[in-house]
Amino acid sequence: MSAVPLPPLPPAPTPDEGFRPGGRSIADIVDREHQQLLALLDQLTGPDTTPREGLAVLTAALSRHLSAEEQYLLPAARAALPNADERVDAEISADAALLNVLKGLAEEALTEVAARVRRHVEGVGALVAELRAVATEEELIRLGNRLEIAEEAAPTRPHPGTPATPPWNRIVEPAVGVVDKVRDAVTRRPTYLTDLPEPPRG
């Protein structure tokens, strides 16, 4: 398997020392989040919904998810997969379009959001499957650790005008995320699946 270029990380012991980092694979994390987003959309478009809370959580979850993917998953796919540049660029453009739809999301726009999220899951899911095939488990776990850190610092509102590629997105997105989190705290806005009365199962 070829090594996947990683962001600067503390040195890891060599493989012959039997080292395996703690955490979850970036592939497993992204796959699970995709299923959770699809489950939330199914719940929001069903007959019994809580639109206000649900739309806020969907917006926050997607904003965090797309930001973290653009910081770590898509750059890793671009570096590790042959001829991936065009596909990664297409995903970044699709992310910006999705974030634009999310701005001021209303219930009537859910159909378009759902269609865009399903396309995202299909496109990024294919990149994840290919990355899983060429990267080592250690590389996937270390990327997963970085992705989770990025998600916690990411914006909770759509900001389609911010940089979408490293290094600038890794600098700008956490700063914007701080402002979003202050606004969320002041307005008591729900931003996590667990904030919903009935969190979707994904």
Side-chain angles (χ1 to χ4, degrees):
M1 289 189 175
S2 60
V4 173
L6 294 169
L9 296 171
T14 56
D16 59 2
E17 294 178 34
F19 174 76
R20 184 179 185 277
R24 295 185 296 157
S25 155
I26 193 170
D28 291 341
I29 295 169
V30 170
D31 285 346
R32 176 167 173 76
E33 289 183 359
H34 284 170
Q35 293 308 310
Q36 289 175 327
L37 288 168
L38 292 174
L40 177 56
L41 282 164
D42 286 343
Q43 179 175 307
L44 291 176
T45 54
D48 301 314
T49 64
T50 52
R52 183 173 299 176
E53 292 173 331
L55 295 180
V57 170
L58 176 66
T59 299
L62 272 170
S63 297
R64 282 193 301 264
H65 176 79
L66 297 178
S67 173
E69 281 188 345
E70 288 177 355
Q71 290 182 56
Y72 290 100
L73 174 65
L74 295 183
R78 189 191 296 276
L81 302 177
N83 306 314
D85 282 355
E86 190 172 317
R87 294 164 65 195
V88 170
D89 289 342
E91 293 303 331
I92 290 172
S93 295
D95 288 354
L98 176 52
L99 289 171
N100 271 313
V101 178
L102 282 176
K103 292 183 73 172
L105 177 62
E107 194 172 357
E108 55 269 21
L110 271 176
T111 301
E112 181 180 355
V113 170
R116 289 184 179 275
V117 170
R118 290 189 178 95
R119 197 218 62 81
H120 169 86
V121 168
E122 182 179 348
V124 173
L127 290 171
V128 167
E130 293 174 39
L131 186 63
R132 193 193 291 267
V134 301
T136 67
E137 187 65 15
E138 177 189 338
E139 288 169 335
L140 292 173
I141 290 173
R142 297 181 86 198
L143 279 168
N145 290 338
R146 283 290 162 143
L147 183 91
E148 291 187 314
I149 292 170
E151 280 199 339
E152 284 306 310
T156 60
R157 299 165 190 265
H159 300 280
T162 58
T165 56
W168 293 110
N169 61 347
R170 294 176 185 164
I171 297 170
V172 174
E173 296 279 280
V176 174
V178 170
V179 177
D180 283 354
K181 289 175 178 61
V182 170
R183 292 176 64 192
D184 294 340
V186 169
T187 60
R188 297 184 179 181
R189 174 177 177 253
T191 60
Y192 287 94
L193 296 180
T194 51
D195 294 334
L196 294 172
E198 295 183 13
R201 298 176 182 178

